[in-house]
Amino acid sequence: MKTSFHMMYSQKEVENRIRELAAQISSDYQNVTEDDPLLALCTLRGAVFFFTDLVRALSVPCEVDFLKVHSYTEGTRPVGAPVFDLGEDIVLKNRHVLIVEDIIDTGATMDAMLDLFRMKDPADIRICSLLDKPDRRLPKYQDTIHADYLGFKIPDQFVIGWGLDYDGKYRLLKDIMYLEFHKD
Ligand code: IMP
Ligand code: MG
């Protein structure tokens, strides 16, 4: 299948939006301290560039940690349940947790992640996602899965760049682009 690439958000637009999100998050977490800092959790690999830009723009005390999420895909569609690799078992008890995601699509990954994290007794959990495709949300997640902090709401397009991949490719593209698939 032939594909073509189209611009969705330029590097500049994404950088500006990340600064705004960081300001909003910093203002909402005024109550965190050096002794009780925010715990920002990066979902690897897609969120990595968004995450590093975002946390470095925060003005509140923040620790960082990482988890690997495998959503097995066939082309552009996930197959089966996502699998999480929490490394050396991250301690979330009584922590202010901010999950940083690249994109919320059907909502299945975020739902499974919230289930897992809530069992670990955090003080609170919020979600920050660079992108959201609300038109793709499964009905059962319509009311339960949303980002507290969202970069951009986008239509049902497959996007790449800024950490997002298509079969492992295009993650390092500096702009967010969408793919168009042509039957040949
Ligand atoms: P979910 O459908 O909300 O569970 O999203 C699962 C995962 O699919 C996301 O975390 C992404 O890794 C991936 N994904 C969904 N939509 C896109 C896209 O447009 N481009 C690249 N990856 C995507
Ligand atoms: Mg992801």
Side-chain angles (χ1 to χ4, degrees):
M1 194 155 30
K2 278 194 194 129
T3 50
S4 56
F5 296 58
H6 306 272
M7 179 68 84
M8 190 175 266
Y9 293 105
S10 70
Q11 179 175 10
K12 227 30 308 98
E13 287 173 297
V14 181
E15 285 169 350
N16 289 340
R17 188 72 191 112
I18 292 176
R19 267 194 294 276
E20 290 174 356
L21 286 174
Q24 198 188 337
I25 293 166
S26 301
S27 126
D28 288 356
Y29 283 94
Q30 286 299 319
N31 60 329
V32 300
T33 62
E34 291 293 350
D35 292 331
D36 183 21
L38 183 62
L39 176 58
L41 287 184
C42 174
T43 61
L44 295 171
R45 293 180 289 250
V48 65
F49 306 121
F50 173 48
F51 181 83
T52 53
D53 283 0
L54 182 79
V55 293
R56 287 179 302 168
L58 294 176
S59 57
V60 292
C62 180
E63 288 179 358
V64 297
D65 217 326
F66 303 85
L67 71 146
K68 206 160 182 182
V69 183
H70 312 263
S71 313
Y72 295 98
T73 52
E74 272 164 13
T76 63
R77 296 300 179 217
V79 279
V83 178
F84 301 104
D85 178 355
L86 283 173
E88 84 263 20
D89 209 9
I90 305 167
V91 178
L92 301 187
K93 193 170 172 59
N94 297 333
R95 302 300 306 268
H96 305 289
V97 176
L98 181 68
I99 299 173
V100 181
E101 233 323 7
D102 50 358
I103 188 163
I104 305 176
D105 186 28
T106 63
T109 303
M110 191 51 77
D111 182 70
M113 199 156 25
L114 286 172
D115 273 357
L116 180 69
F117 287 2
R118 282 185 182 130
M119 289 191 301
K120 293 172 179 284
D121 238 359
D124 45 77
I125 305 183
R126 287 187 194 161
I127 296 164
C128 178
S129 186
L130 176 58
L131 302 170
D132 185 9
K133 289 196 266 193
D135 294 345
R136 289 260 307 149
R137 197 78 86 255
L138 291 175
K140 60 178 168 179
Y141 302 133
Q142 212 99 59
D143 298 327
T144 54
I145 301 297
H146 70 278
D148 300 281
Y149 305 99
L150 176 64
F152 303 102
K153 184 157 82 169
I154 64 169
D156 181 8
Q157 303 273 16
F158 195 83
V159 286
I160 50 167
W162 209 284
L164 291 141
D165 72 302
Y166 175 54
D167 281 345
K169 293 191 277 286
Y170 314 122
R171 278 192 205 280
L172 272 65
L173 276 181
K174 295 234 166 29
D175 307 303
I176 296 176
M177 308 194 79
Y178 67 93
L179 283 180
E180 197 181 353
F181 299 92
H182 307 272
K183 292 203 179 74
D184 44 12

